[in-house]
Amino acid sequence: MKILIVDDDKEIVELLSIYAKNEGYDPVTALTGREAITKLATNPEIALMILDIMMPNMSGIDVIKEVRKESDIPIIIVSAKTTDMDKIQGLITGADDYVSKPFNPLEVMARVKSLLRRANAQMTSNEPDRLEVGPLIIDKDSHEVTTLTGQQIQLTALEFGILYLLASHPNRVFSADEIFERVWQQESIVSAKTVMVHVSHLRDKIEEATGGEKVIETVWGVGYKVEA
């Protein structure tokens, strides 16, 4: 399985490539944002991208914006920018996870495995193939969400996972920790802000496509739900 590693620091690219190979992945590398876009276009089998933010000419944020126009490939940011606002900006733009530099390569690989497992996981057989929730039609098999008028809403794999989880359990309130553990498929070891940012971005996309319809509700102090 191919993963794309993007950083203008050659030593970091080489380090992550070594660890990726040790885990059985086939690393594809790029030293600039432009090169990353080209590598994605010419290697459709790339399953995930590890991406630095601070790069010359085309930043990692701009790379994410460009990629998200066409693809929901999982993206892990690995960056020296470590403030909460930096992380929130990355997640809002469309990244799926954020690791701060300096990092432990083993942690990065653990997150790679988790995201790929989530992206490739098959829903259990007792979950419905198709859900209709308010103005939305959610198709499990194709991972597509459309409005009742036929407009497709482009979601990342994690955004789709959150929406499907809530929609397939109407009226049930899920805490941020529960959402993280079910959708990310690992123990909740991060701030609830990670889930909050993904839910916020998901809401924005839904409301933009439906003219302001509110599908996901916040139960303050508890979590999130979708009403039947």
Side-chain angles (χ1 to χ4, degrees):
M1 183 179 295
K2 289 187 176 182
I3 62 173
L4 177 59
I5 301 169
V6 188
D7 200 303
D8 60 340
D9 187 326
K10 291 183 179 180
E11 291 185 0
I12 289 178
V13 170
E14 291 172 359
L15 176 66
L16 289 174
S17 295
I18 290 170
Y19 276 82
K21 289 177 181 178
N22 288 342
E23 294 293 339
Y25 301 118
D26 180 10
V28 178
T29 64
L31 297 176
T32 68
R34 293 292 180 192
E35 186 181 5
I37 296 297
T38 300
K39 290 290 180 71
L40 278 175
T42 55
N43 292 270
E45 65 273 27
I46 290 174
L48 177 143
M49 176 164 58
I50 300 171
L51 177 68
D52 185 26
I53 291 296
M54 294 184 291
M55 295 185 294
N57 302 322
M58 186 178 192
S59 73
I61 294 296
D62 289 335
V63 171
I64 295 171
K65 290 177 181 178
E66 190 68 24
V67 170
R68 286 292 177 248
K69 293 178 183 178
E70 304 290 340
S71 172
D72 64 354
I73 181 176
I75 298 174
I76 300 175
I77 292 174
V78 177
S79 176
K81 301 183 74 174
T82 59
T83 69
D84 283 347
M85 287 308 300
D86 292 326
K87 295 177 182 179
I88 288 170
Q89 181 186 15
L91 294 171
I92 287 177
T93 305
D96 297 287
D97 205 349
Y98 198 112
V99 178
S100 299
K101 294 180 180 177
F103 58 84
N104 183 333
L106 292 175
E107 178 190 357
V108 176
M109 290 301 113
R111 294 180 185 235
V112 167
K113 290 178 185 178
S114 177
L115 279 177
L116 289 175
R117 183 168 63 245
R118 178 63 191 91
N120 295 328
Q122 297 295 319
M123 298 294 184
T124 58
S125 59
N126 61 345
E127 290 179 319
D129 294 333
R130 189 173 184 271
L131 296 170
E132 291 191 22
V133 179
L136 304 180
I137 300 171
I138 305 168
D139 191 297
K140 179 189 76 172
D141 292 332
S142 65
H143 268 227
E144 290 183 350
V145 177
T146 56
T147 66
L148 295 177
T149 59
Q151 180 180 347
Q152 185 171 343
I153 305 175
Q154 188 75 27
L155 302 181
T156 67
L158 290 175
E159 289 167 354
F160 182 91
I162 293 169
L163 179 60
Y164 189 89
L165 172 66
L166 298 178
S168 59
H169 298 83
N171 299 321
R172 176 176 172 181
V173 181
F174 286 87
S175 69
D177 283 346
E178 286 180 297
I179 291 172
F180 187 88
E181 289 172 2
R182 287 184 177 234
V183 175
W184 276 253
Q185 296 190 347
Q186 64 185 54
E187 290 186 12
S188 181
I189 57 174
V190 298
S191 166
K193 288 182 180 179
T194 298
V195 174
M196 179 188 71
V197 169
H198 283 280
V199 170
S200 176
H201 203 201
L202 174 58
R203 278 176 168 157
D204 289 344
K205 290 181 178 182
I206 292 172
E207 291 178 17
E208 181 180 357
T210 62
E213 292 276 357
K214 297 186 182 299
V215 174
I216 299 174
E217 296 188 13
T218 299
V219 181
W220 293 107
V222 185
Y224 306 93
K225 72 173 182 176
V226 165
E227 287 196 351

